[in-house]
Amino acid sequence: MLQVMETRAAKVQGATLRQIAPRATDQLLGAKLLVASGLIPVVTAMDNFEDEPIPAEWCAERRQYGYLNSVGRWITVDPEDIAALAVDYPLIFAKLLVAFDRAGPPRPAPLIDGFAWDIGTIRLAGAKAPVPVWYARRLADASVWDKINALLERRPPDDVRVVLTSTPGDRIPLTANKRNIVVSIADVASAPGKLAISPQALGARVFPGQVQRKFPIDHSDDCGIVWHRDETLTFGGDKQRRFLQILFEAYWSNSQVLRLAAVLEEAGYGGKVNTLKKAFGRSAEKWRFIKVDDGNCWINP
């Protein structure tokens, strides 16, 4: 669902989505989170063993969509395969905030057409007043981010504002106004594969200083935040958080030392990724509380 929300038009062709994730497609359609919205009349022609995107055209005589292959034979295309599926934003926002006491208009208010919406306010533990919540998408697109960041600067919150996004956490740009808390939905979900946001996980992101934590190191339930001495470090993406969960499970059980390559593979990085630099690139520096020696790794705060 989050991948569809990040597409340029927030639409996806039914056949394409079913090829990528058939089970998820059935679930999203069954939950009505994706709804029919016109057609994307392009198909992949398997002709002479070559994949070639070509337009599917309407034939008035046959009263069907299709195309002519290389030998002039008419190939019929099922309309369901080229149906465009669009995101039902009001329903998705309701699903995201189902665990919160939420107030606001029955339909989200557009802030930037097609890219940002005001979805009301929520009650959040630690906040003196209801917290305003926005949703924005495609933050990794520089042109989109420039518009959204300018809007954040023009309309600063009185206290704090949560900006939820379908953009992965490790691709969210930084904003100057620290009262805007930009959070990837995937990083605060109540469970893997779920849209509903965890109040505890979101609260830890918005008010990290109010969380009771161990010293010298501790972490949020989802490992999206690590408190290392006097630093608050945030981590985005399922793989990063899973990597940390494995290491912290070993740390708290006093069986600390693990094989780095095995942990990275279990976290989903694949067998060829066997160093922190390969896995995390430029952000490897903030993993300094993890020690690596002779292919082993452990948490050393």
Side-chain angles (χ1 to χ4, degrees):
M1 187 70 250
L2 298 180
Q3 288 178 311
V4 176
M5 293 165 77
E6 283 293 288
T7 59
R8 189 175 300 275
K11 289 184 179 181
V12 65
Q13 189 187 68
T16 301
L17 184 60
R18 195 169 293 281
Q19 288 176 356
I20 297 171
R23 185 179 173 212
T25 302
D26 290 336
Q27 292 175 332
L28 294 173
L29 291 173
K32 298 183 179 180
L33 295 174
L34 290 176
V35 294
S37 178
L39 299 173
I40 302 177
V42 177
V43 296
T44 301
M46 297 298 294
D47 203 10
N48 296 328
F49 302 101
E50 294 182 2
D51 294 349
E52 181 184 0
I54 62 173
E57 299 177 344
W58 174 254
C59 177
E61 182 181 348
R62 296 181 179 88
R63 301 190 61 79
Q64 59 188 213
Y65 283 93
Y67 63 93
L68 294 174
N69 67 8
S70 61
V71 296
R73 182 188 171 201
W74 177 259
I75 306 297
T76 302
V77 174
D78 188 334
E80 288 189 3
D81 290 341
I82 57 175
L85 302 177
V87 175
D88 186 332
Y89 283 111
L91 182 55
I92 284 177
F93 296 153
K95 296 284 187 183
L96 289 173
L97 301 176
V98 67
F100 295 85
D101 181 4
R102 175 186 169 207
R107 296 191 64 82
L111 298 167
I112 299 176
D113 190 34
F115 294 101
W117 292 262
D118 182 341
I119 55 179
T121 63
I122 58 172
R123 294 281 181 181
L124 197 59
K128 298 177 181 178
V131 175
V133 181
W134 289 4
Y135 164 78
R137 68 187 196 91
R138 293 183 61 81
L139 302 189
D141 183 319
S143 62
V144 174
W145 172 249
D146 287 345
K147 294 177 183 177
I148 291 173
N149 195 37
L151 178 64
L152 294 174
E153 292 181 0
R154 289 197 308 271
R155 296 178 54 178
D158 294 332
D159 188 6
V160 294
R161 175 195 292 130
V162 172
V163 182
L164 298 173
T165 180
S166 41
T167 304
D170 56 356
R171 301 189 65 195
I172 297 174
L174 296 176
T175 182
N177 190 330
K178 300 304 180 183
R179 289 182 293 176
N180 290 300
I181 313 298
V182 185
V183 182
S184 176
I185 294 165
D187 292 344
V188 290
S190 57
K194 300 293 185 182
L195 277 177
I197 291 173
S198 162
Q200 293 75 24
L202 185 59
R205 292 297 180 102
V206 178
F207 302 112
Q210 297 183 14
V211 178
Q212 296 295 317
R213 55 184 185 266
K214 304 179 184 72
F215 190 85
I217 196 166
D218 204 353
H219 57 88
S220 60
D221 290 342
D222 67 336
C223 286
I225 300 176
V226 172
W227 296 280
H228 180 217
R229 298 187 180 275
D230 60 348
E231 291 184 290
T232 298
L233 306 172
T234 59
F235 298 89
D238 292 341
K239 294 178 183 178
Q240 288 191 13
R241 296 198 308 276
R242 179 57 186 151
F243 178 80
L244 286 171
Q245 286 170 348
I246 296 168
L247 285 184
F248 273 113
E249 285 170 5
Y251 177 75
W252 299 124
S253 66
N254 294 320
S255 55
Q256 296 186 20
V257 178
L258 301 171
R259 295 297 294 174
L260 176 60
V263 177
L264 287 169
E265 186 169 5
E266 184 178 344
Y269 284 97
K272 294 183 179 180
V273 179
N274 53 13
T275 68
L276 291 184
K277 188 172 183 179
K278 286 182 180 179
F280 312 123
R282 295 179 181 178
S283 67
E285 170 60 23
K286 70 179 181 181
W287 298 79
R288 53 191 170 274
F289 58 87
I290 297 173
K291 300 300 179 183
V292 178
D293 184 42
D294 194 27
N296 295 318
C297 63
W298 66 95
I299 290 177
N300 183 4

